[in-house]
Amino acid sequence: MAAGNARDEAYYTQEVNVNKRENDKHGGTVRQERQFMIVAISFQILLLILYAISTDYSDGTVAAHSDDHEWGTEPFYFYGMYQDVHAMMFVGFGFLMTFLRRYGFGALTFNFLLCAFGIQWGMYIFHMIPWVFNEHIGVLHINTYKLVDGDIATAVVLISFGALLGRVNPAQLLVMCFFELFFWALNFHICVEMLHIVDVGGSIVVHTFGAYFGLAVSFVCGLPKHDDENKSMYHSDMFSMIGTLFLWLYWPSFNGFFANREYYYMDRAFVNTVLSLCGSTVATFIMSRVAKKGKFDMVHIQNATLAGGVAVGAAADLYLHPAGAIGIGFVAGVLSVCGYEYLSDLLKDRLNVEDVCGVHNLHGMPGIFGGIVSAIALAIADGTGVYPTAEDTYPFAHPLQKQAAFQISGLCVTLGIAVLSGLMVGMFVKCMEFPSNEFTDYGHFVVPKDEAQVDFFRTTIRKANFSAIRPVDDFDALKADDTE
């Protein structure tokens, strides 16, 4: 063990020295710093200008109408669900990505940055995108209800971020976020406003789009040059489970927020989501035990347990029957575990697609499965009388058989736009400066020591006055066993 640790430290010290020489020679760190400052300042100034000229509050002199679906003067009706979704973005996604043992700072803070920027830009572009189709848009009147549009948009970017975790710098992430949300809003308008698909929980327009957009960007960026730190440790996997639990608990609000309050649509969205999550959780534990020959794999537990929430999203408010909701979740859990166990390495080895978080297994395949489920649920419900008889009653714009066909059409459109736009945006991202130390906070943050072989969990970053790095003391100098 001691000899192994010595070899690892010698190797890592050599890598750090090489990276330092590359930075000194090519100015990589300086370029990254300049890129981030230029991109962040430019985008924020642009948003300030756009908000100044084309947004406002709702008219405070007019009482809310009885048919105001946004309840502008009574936000307490939905503020709790909004905060659930808000927590999913900042805490759920943030901690879910902390599994990399030396990338905890980057996972949480870059997630934080994308949320802060994505909410602003996503809410704005979501409202303005009809202008592309020559539709009148007017002033964006921002209220509490519309804040959720920003969170949903941010979820798309965070899913894509999962495919690139630890491999890109914050400037690249902001550029990806800016362009991705434009194409996402475009796809959303085509699928929901023109094709009139049913997707209350975003299986198609959120999860599928975000997953395959991110994979397309990852494909263009290529495989990582150094993946030695693409690994977890006991503590980092424990932190990642915090994100899993937050997402699991609050997912019903994500799937049910936009459901109709009448005819039990919203009620079904909550019930179906919880039951589907239960099904995927049980399936994950069973399949993980099978795949790992009698043991559980934390990668499966952290991710595949959530697949039920993804898969049931498009059909969350539909009549699935409680047993059907559980079955959908169970199949999604099996599908996700199989993806992590058998397909992730295949994507990397055969297609040169690095999927760090496994978004293909958690969001991509379950999202496609969810789109298909919604089509089947609508088709078999024709003539059963489980929905109101009027064909124009929310959420259907077509007769049920025709609506089912449009579900598949929307899924195909989403896949096409996601992949093509991801390839284009990936070209922009690839032209920017990549971090020289992949899968580690070294180079982005003040870390315990410049020598990366020092254990991050046993060293001290700052003094009591918060102004300087303290020398390593006897306790800090202890090194944990570097086991894989």
Side-chain angles (χ1 to χ4, degrees), residues 99-420:
F99 64 91
L100 292 174
R101 65 177 188 172
R102 297 186 191 271
Y103 199 68
F105 287 178
L108 280 171
T109 57
F110 295 162
N111 183 91
F112 194 5
L113 174 65
L114 287 174
C115 285
F117 179 76
I119 289 172
Q120 298 176 78
W121 176 234
M123 184 166 49
Y124 183 86
I125 194 62
F126 180 78
H127 174 77
M128 295 298 175
I129 203 66
W131 176 81
V132 176
F133 299 91
N134 295 319
E135 298 180 19
H136 176 71
I137 51 176
V139 174
L140 169 58
H141 291 101
I142 297 178
N143 55 30
T144 309
Y145 194 87
K146 284 189 172 67
L147 292 176
V148 176
D149 293 337
D151 277 335
I152 300 301
T154 300
V156 178
V157 180
L158 297 181
I159 292 168
S160 301
F161 175 37
L164 299 162
L165 185 69
R167 301 181 52 212
V168 290
N169 64 51
Q172 292 172 299
L173 290 174
L174 289 179
V175 169
M176 184 185 77
C177 177
F178 184 84
F179 289 107
E180 178 176 9
L181 289 185
F182 172 83
F183 289 109
W184 165 75
L186 191 73
N187 178 75
F188 188 99
H189 189 85
I190 293 173
C191 290
V192 176
E193 301 299 332
M194 299 175 69
L195 297 178
H196 300 289
I197 71 168
V198 177
D199 192 15
V200 69
S203 294
I204 300 171
V205 296
V206 174
H207 297 285
T208 300
F209 185 94
Y212 290 102
F213 181 96
L215 292 172
V217 174
S218 180
F219 172 76
V220 175
C221 292
L223 297 176
K225 296 180 180 178
H226 306 283
D227 62 352
D228 306 275
E229 284 302 323
N230 186 4
K231 60 183 71 171
S232 67
M233 63 189 304
Y234 192 87
H235 306 80
S236 61
D237 275 331
M238 188 74 72
F239 275 112
S240 183
M241 276 301 299
I242 296 175
T244 299
L245 294 176
F246 264 87
L247 291 170
W248 204 102
L249 291 173
Y250 293 145
W251 211 296
S253 294
F254 186 93
N255 281 356
F257 188 93
F258 294 107
N260 193 343
R261 303 179 186 93
E262 299 177 343
Y263 300 107
Y264 289 92
Y265 282 110
M266 181 177 284
D267 187 70
R268 282 199 298 266
F270 295 150
V271 172
N272 287 338
T273 301
V274 172
L275 292 179
S276 186
L277 284 168
C278 290
S280 63
T281 300
V282 174
T284 297
F285 277 87
I286 295 173
M287 287 301 299
S288 184
R289 198 82 166 185
V290 172
K292 293 302 181 182
K293 296 179 174 57
K295 293 188 177 182
F296 298 120
D297 189 336
M298 286 305 295
V299 173
H300 302 156
I301 308 302
Q302 290 159 0
N303 296 280
T305 52
L306 303 171
V310 177
V312 81
D317 59 344
L318 302 182
Y319 188 88
L320 301 175
H321 194 278
I326 296 173
I328 291 168
F330 194 92
V331 173
V334 172
L335 192 66
S336 185
V337 171
C338 291
Y340 278 101
E341 190 66 20
Y342 307 112
L343 293 183
S344 291
D345 291 339
L346 189 66
L347 282 175
K348 183 177 180 179
D349 297 337
R350 299 290 181 87
L351 301 178
N352 291 328
V353 177
E354 179 71 33
D355 184 8
V356 181
C357 287
V359 299
H360 178 252
N361 313 312
L362 173 55
H363 301 279
M365 291 192 299
I368 293 175
F369 176 58
I372 296 172
V373 163
S374 68
I376 296 174
L378 289 165
I380 64 177
D382 192 20
T384 61
V386 295
Y387 299 116
T389 56
E391 292 181 356
D392 59 349
T393 300
Y394 172 89
F396 312 122
H398 314 283
L400 293 182
Q401 292 287 341
K402 188 175 181 180
Q403 183 71 52
F406 273 93
Q407 295 296 113
I408 302 300
S409 299
L411 179 60
C412 295
V413 169
T414 296
L415 283 169
I417 294 178
V419 173
L420 291 177

